[in-house]
Structure formats: C-alpha cells, structure tokens
Amino acid sequence: MKAAGIREFGASVELLGLPEPRTLRPDEVLIDVRAAGMGNWDEIARTGGWDLGVRPPMALGVEAAGFVAAVGDQVAELRVGDRVTAHSLPLREQGAWAERYIAVAPHVAAVPPDIPFDAAAALPVPALTADQTIGDALGVRPGETVLVNGAGGVTGGMLVQLAAHRGATVIATAGPDSADRLAALGAATVLDYHRPDWPQQVRALTQGGVDAAANAVPSGSARTMRAVRDRGRLATITSDPPAAERDITVRAVLVAPDGRRLGRLVQLLAQGALTVSVGERFPLEQGAMALARVGHGAPGSAVVLRPGPVTERPGGPAALPGEHGPQRYPASAATASVVSPARPGGYSGCGMAMTRRPAAAAERSPLAESSTAAHSGGGQPSAAVTAR
Ligand SMILES: NC(=O)c1ccc[n+]([C@@H]2O[C@H](COP(=O)([O-])OP(=O)(O)OC[C@H]3O[C@@H](n4cnc5c(N)ncnc54)[C@H](OP(=O)(O)O)[C@@H]3O)[C@@H](O)[C@H]2O)c1
C-alpha cells in the first residue's frame, strides 16, 4: 500500500510502498483511510522526538478518518463500512498517513454521515488535547476566567472553544489577524502576543490574574504563569512546565488516545458547539510539502493528507460534487453567527484588548476566512470544513 513516511528519523517524508496490513488482532480495527490529519507534532515524530511505538522505515501520522474495512474477533461495537475517526497510539503497525491504518477499537469513534472525512481526520489530536487540558488538567468551571496563550493555532482554537463551552470567560493571545476569528470561537478578549506586556495586561484585566491558563506556545509557559493568580492553575501542552510558584498548580499535558471522549467531541462537532477548520489538502505523494505547510497556511486551519479522492461510501464514486472547491459544513454555516453570546463579566471597553467579541465576528465565521485562504501550488484548494 501507499504511505507517506520516513526511512530513518530525521529523513524527509517520502512516498513509501509498504506491505498490506497484517491480519488483525482481536481488539483491532482496520481503517480504509480517506483523510489523515497533520500537525507540528508530526514534525516532532519525524525527527524522533516523539516515540510512536515503531521505528522507521514507517508511515507517519497519528490521526485518520475513513471506513472500517475489517474488525478483530473481539470488536463488537464497530462494523465493516462504519465511518470512523481515530487517534491510536502506540502504533500497532504503521502510521495513519497511509491507505490503511490499524487502530485499537477503544481509540476509535464513530462519525455521523454529515461530518466530512477531512474534518473528522483533523479533529482527534487537537480536540483530545484541548479537552484533556481544559477538562482534566485545569478542571475549568463555569464563571472562571481562563487564559489561552497561543490561541491562534488549530489546537489553540480548540482550547478557546472548549473553555468557552464550559462557561468560562476566555482571554486569548494571538496575532492581530486571528483576533476576529477567535472572538467568533468564544474568546471574550484577544490580546496581541507581540506586545511583551500582555501578561501584565491580563493581570490588569482580571484584578490579579486568571483562575486557569493553558499554554500552547513552545517555551511559553513561564510567561503564561505571570498571568495566573495566586493558587491558580496552569497547564502546558508544549512540554515546558515551569517551576511552581505562588501555590499555582502546574500540569503538562500529552495527548492520550480515548475513543469514548473522541466520540463526545465528534458529537460536539455535529451539534455545532465545536468547529474545526481544514485548509490545504494534499495527496500522500506530497507528504513532505504538506508537512512543511503545517502552521504556514490559513491561520487556525489544519492540513490534511488524502490517500485518494474522498468517497463518502465504501467503493463509491471518486469524488463528491464540489470536492475540489471550497467545502462548508453544514452549508448553512456560511451565515452562522457567533455561537456563544457575549458573557457577563467580559472585559468590554478595556482599551488594552484588541477585540472583545465584535459584532462583526458574526459575519466573519472561521468558515469565511478559511475558504478564501491561499494555498500552495501542490495542495488542493483550501476548504473550510466545520460543524458550526
Ligand atoms: N502536548 C500535546 O499532546 C500536544 C497536542 C497538540 C499540539 N501540541 C503543541 O501545541 C502547540 C500548538 O499547537 P497548534 O495545533 O495550535 O499549532 P499551530 O496550529 O501550528 O499554531 C501556531 C499558532 O501559534 C501562534 N503563535 C506563534 N507564536 C506565538 C507566540 N509567541 N505567542 C502566542 N501565539 C503564538 C500563531 O498564531 P497567530 O496566527 O494568531 O499569530 C500561530 O498561528 C504546538 O507546539 C504543538 O506541537 C501539543
């Protein structure tokens, strides 16, 4: 089968011809991959900094969506032909950037027919990480103030959405171009991280610091700590936990596979309470280019690899109508407004904030931004895929 991967740690991603997957073990599911997600965590895996459980030569990739092609003897809850998404580690055989991917059944979640595979493939790592950070590591409660440092990225945007979904007032740091998008995702206040005094701005806005903070910026957690109140909580997803101070609880989060939780996040996506934006899409043959585009395309939009044309039915026709142009899910999302109303206790009128959930955000959904995003020569045109 075709795969995108590496011959040795640190080598460039290339197209590999790998043997077909072996016979399944009792707890395994074989996924006929239609789309596989990418993030800069894959760059860490490429260079050997994240042990995925197998060694090169190997397909990379830790998240994928597609159809169940076969199940092991003990798998009762999934059937051949089901639409699924998965983040399954340690890898049982090969990574997810391949035509077929073996996942462990408890790491797999069903995907409703109206969620496109691109969106389902881009969801698992960012959404699981964000949920494990906001829910488990920080235990965010309604009415609390939460800072998300590095909210402009794919995972950063999920942190904002899930904190807002829990009823928190969210302060985000991001670049100026991301401000309106993050307001639409639920941030009450967006501060420009290019201003080095943003932690002081947060302290001033919150009379002493936020209750909880999530850091999504490499080497950014020490600065994030300055914006947390005494006895508050800090969680970082970039492996840089600072020494504890002022009785602040510090946690480092590494994404953990969890099919049940992933299923709940898929449901949030289906309900429109969570959005994932997909930017550029590349075939497996262009895996190296795709990885180089991570973080350089439309801000907050994921890059997706596709082993072949996406078909929504097993063995179905090659491509859906509109497949090669911008896609929106659902179609009505083009006119969707901000999901979360402005919360009481926000920071309206503070001159330091770049934005405070502007009314214009209602017309500027992340869909609209992503769907017009530039794309590199190799990839297919950008498509905004969201469940909002
Ligand atoms: N621990 C885990 O299991 C786990 C899981 C997922 C991700 N991660 C890590 O979390 C980090 C973020 O992931 P992601 O998916 O959100 O990445 P991403 O999509 O590549 O996000 C990059 C964004 O970060 C923002 N940014 C860059 N420098 C910044 C700074 N100094 N201060 C504030 N924001 C800054 C930029 O926002 P603007 O465009 O607004 O400028 C940029 O768009 C990555 O390092 C990733 O490896 C860890």
Side-chain angles (χ1 to χ4, degrees):
M1 67 173 177
K2 283 193 302 182
I6 50 173
R7 294 191 188 279
E8 57 185 325
F9 287 126
S12 295
V13 173
E14 60 182 287
L15 187 69
L16 301 175
L18 296 176
E20 283 298 321
R22 56 164 169 70
T23 304
L24 295 181
R25 295 177 190 141
D27 63 341
E28 291 177 343
V29 177
L30 181 65
I31 299 176
D32 178 8
V33 175
R34 298 308 162 102
M38 270 195 162
N40 60 6
W41 49 84
D42 294 305
E43 178 62 13
I44 300 170
R46 183 186 73 80
T47 52
W50 186 14
D51 182 4
L52 303 183
V54 300
R55 298 188 61 79
M58 62 186 282
L60 290 174
V62 297
E63 55 181 4
F67 293 104
V68 172
V71 295
D73 292 346
Q74 288 172 4
V75 178
E77 65 278 14
L78 293 165
R79 293 173 192 278
V80 171
D82 285 355
R83 300 176 89 251
V84 293
T85 187
H87 163 61
S88 191
L89 284 181
L91 296 177
R92 282 293 171 101
E93 189 177 45
Q94 292 292 340
W97 298 351
E99 292 179 295
R100 282 163 283 285
Y101 169 52
I102 296 177
V104 182
H107 299 166
V108 178
V111 175
D114 53 352
I115 294 180
F117 282 128
D118 286 344
L123 186 75
V125 171
L128 283 170
T129 305
D131 199 45
Q132 287 159 357
T133 301
I134 297 298
D136 301 351
L138 293 176
V140 169
R141 297 182 289 272
E144 290 193 311
T145 48
V146 174
L147 167 68
V148 178
N149 184 33
V154 177
T155 311
M158 294 270 175
L159 288 163
V160 169
Q161 293 180 78
L162 291 174
H165 185 69
R166 281 180 168 246
T169 298
V170 180
I171 301 175
T173 73
D177 291 346
S178 299
D180 284 356
R181 176 171 53 84
L182 290 168
L185 293 181
T189 305
V190 184
L191 301 173
D192 185 350
Y193 63 79
H194 297 97
R195 280 189 55 170
D197 66 338
W198 65 257
Q200 293 94 303
Q201 293 182 41
V202 175
R203 293 186 79 85
L205 288 164
T206 54
Q207 285 85 46
V210 292
D211 300 306
N215 174 60
V217 177
S219 306
S221 63
R223 180 166 283 191
T224 304
M225 179 95 109
R226 291 187 218 155
V228 180
R229 68 165 168 78
D230 295 355
R231 295 177 297 286
R233 290 106 68 202
L234 170 76
T236 181
I237 65 170
T238 55
S239 308
D240 61 343
E245 61 177 61
R246 295 183 286 118
D247 287 330
I248 293 170
T249 305
V250 176
R251 296 223 158 85
V253 176
L254 179 63
V255 63
D258 183 342
R260 202 177 290 264
R261 185 188 292 253
L262 182 57
R264 289 197 294 272
L265 292 160
V266 168
Q267 288 308 313
L268 286 184
L269 191 68
Q271 292 159 10
L274 193 61
T275 293
V276 59
S277 179
V278 177
E280 294 161 292
R281 296 163 289 158
F282 294 83
L284 285 178
E285 288 79 357
Q286 294 177 353
M289 182 185 295
L291 188 56
R293 292 295 299 159
V294 168
H296 294 97
S301 292
V303 174
V304 160
L305 272 186
R306 288 173 163 187
V310 165
T311 57
E312 291 293 327
R313 282 176 287 141
L320 294 171
E323 156 72 11
H324 299 295
Q327 289 178 325
R328 287 180 175 146
Y329 175 79
S332 60
T335 55
S337 59
V338 178
V339 167
S340 313
R343 286 187 177 74
Y347 305 109
S348 181
C350 175
M352 289 190 282
M354 280 161 42
T355 181
R356 192 222 177 274
R357 209 186 298 282
E363 286 78 53
R364 298 199 49 186
S365 81
L367 287 174
E369 281 188 18
S370 308
S371 64
T372 56
H375 62 93
S376 71
Q380 295 179 11
S382 297
V385 184
T386 173
R388 170 155 297 178

